[in-house]
Short mmCIF file of all heavy atoms in Angstrom, two decimals:
data_model
loop_
_atom_site.label_atom_id
_atom_site.label_comp_id
_atom_site.label_asym_id
_atom_site.label_seq_id
_atom_site.Cartn_x
_atom_site.Cartn_y
_atom_site.Cartn_z
N LYS T 345 104.34 79.14 144.56
CA LYS T 345 102.98 79.01 145.07
C LYS T 345 102.07 78.85 143.84
O LYS T 345 101.64 79.84 143.23
CB LYS T 345 102.56 80.23 145.88
CG LYS T 345 103.29 80.35 147.22
CD LYS T 345 102.71 81.49 148.07
CE LYS T 345 103.35 81.52 149.45
NZ LYS T 345 102.77 82.61 150.29
N PHE T 346 101.79 77.58 143.49
CA PHE T 346 100.95 77.30 142.34
C PHE T 346 99.49 77.34 142.72
O PHE T 346 99.11 77.27 143.90
CB PHE T 346 101.31 75.94 141.75
CG PHE T 346 102.66 75.90 141.07
CD1 PHE T 346 103.68 75.13 141.58
CD2 PHE T 346 102.89 76.64 139.93
CE1 PHE T 346 104.92 75.07 140.96
CE2 PHE T 346 104.12 76.60 139.29
CZ PHE T 346 105.14 75.82 139.80
N ASN T 347 98.63 77.47 141.69
CA ASN T 347 97.17 77.54 141.89
C ASN T 347 96.83 78.64 142.89
O ASN T 347 95.94 78.49 143.74
CB ASN T 347 96.63 76.19 142.37
CG ASN T 347 96.90 75.09 141.37
OD1 ASN T 347 96.57 75.20 140.18
ND2 ASN T 347 97.54 74.01 141.82
N CYS T 348 97.55 79.74 142.77
CA CYS T 348 97.39 80.87 143.69
C CYS T 348 97.28 82.14 142.83
O CYS T 348 98.21 82.46 142.09
CB CYS T 348 98.58 80.93 144.63
SG CYS T 348 98.47 82.21 145.89
N GLU T 349 96.16 82.82 142.93
CA GLU T 349 95.91 83.96 142.04
C GLU T 349 95.94 85.28 142.79
O GLU T 349 95.36 85.41 143.89
CB GLU T 349 94.57 83.79 141.33
CG GLU T 349 94.32 84.81 140.24
CD GLU T 349 93.11 84.50 139.39
OE1 GLU T 349 92.49 83.44 139.60
OE2 GLU T 349 92.80 85.32 138.51
N VAL T 350 96.62 86.26 142.21
CA VAL T 350 96.69 87.60 142.78
C VAL T 350 95.48 88.41 142.29
O VAL T 350 95.15 88.41 141.11
CB VAL T 350 98.00 88.30 142.39
CG1 VAL T 350 98.00 89.76 142.82
CG2 VAL T 350 99.19 87.55 142.97
N GLU T 351 94.87 89.10 143.21
CA GLU T 351 93.72 89.95 142.86
C GLU T 351 94.16 91.38 142.59
O GLU T 351 93.66 92.03 141.66
CB GLU T 351 92.68 89.93 143.98
CG GLU T 351 91.42 90.70 143.67
CD GLU T 351 90.35 90.50 144.73
OE1 GLU T 351 90.41 91.22 145.76
OE2 GLU T 351 89.49 89.62 144.55
N SER T 352 95.10 91.88 143.39
CA SER T 352 95.57 93.25 143.19
C SER T 352 96.92 93.42 143.89
O SER T 352 97.29 92.62 144.75
CB SER T 352 94.56 94.27 143.73
OG SER T 352 94.44 94.15 145.13
N ILE T 353 97.60 94.47 143.52
CA ILE T 353 98.89 94.77 144.15
C ILE T 353 99.08 96.29 144.19
O ILE T 353 98.74 97.00 143.23
CB ILE T 353 100.04 94.09 143.39
CG1 ILE T 353 101.40 94.43 144.03
CG2 ILE T 353 100.04 94.45 141.92
CD1 ILE T 353 102.56 93.63 143.44
N ASN T 354 99.58 96.78 145.33
CA ASN T 354 99.97 98.18 145.42
C ASN T 354 101.34 98.27 146.07
O ASN T 354 102.00 97.26 146.27
CB ASN T 354 98.91 99.02 146.16
CG ASN T 354 98.65 98.53 147.57
OD1 ASN T 354 99.58 98.08 148.26
ND2 ASN T 354 97.41 98.60 148.01
N SER T 355 101.78 99.43 146.41
CA SER T 355 103.15 99.62 146.90
C SER T 355 103.42 98.94 148.23
O SER T 355 104.58 98.70 148.59
CB SER T 355 103.47 101.12 147.03
OG SER T 355 102.58 101.72 147.95
N THR T 356 102.37 98.59 148.97
CA THR T 356 102.58 97.99 150.30
C THR T 356 102.03 96.58 150.44
O THR T 356 102.47 95.83 151.31
CB THR T 356 101.93 98.85 151.40
OG1 THR T 356 100.51 98.94 151.15
CG2 THR T 356 102.53 100.25 151.42
N THR T 357 101.06 96.20 149.58
CA THR T 357 100.33 94.96 149.82
C THR T 357 100.04 94.20 148.52
O THR T 357 99.68 94.80 147.51
CB THR T 357 98.98 95.25 150.53
OG1 THR T 357 99.23 96.03 151.69
CG2 THR T 357 98.28 93.95 150.90
N ILE T 358 100.20 92.86 148.60
CA ILE T 358 99.75 91.98 147.53
C ILE T 358 98.53 91.26 148.06
O ILE T 358 98.60 90.57 149.10
CB ILE T 358 100.84 90.95 147.16
CG1 ILE T 358 102.10 91.66 146.67
CG2 ILE T 358 100.32 89.98 146.09
CD1 ILE T 358 103.29 90.73 146.51
#
Side-chain angles (χ1 to χ4, degrees):
K345 290 187 175 181
F346 290 114
N347 300 307
C348 184
E349 189 170 356
V350 173
E351 184 173 84
S352 65
I353 179 172
N354 59 36
S355 61
T356 61
T357 307
I358 300 170

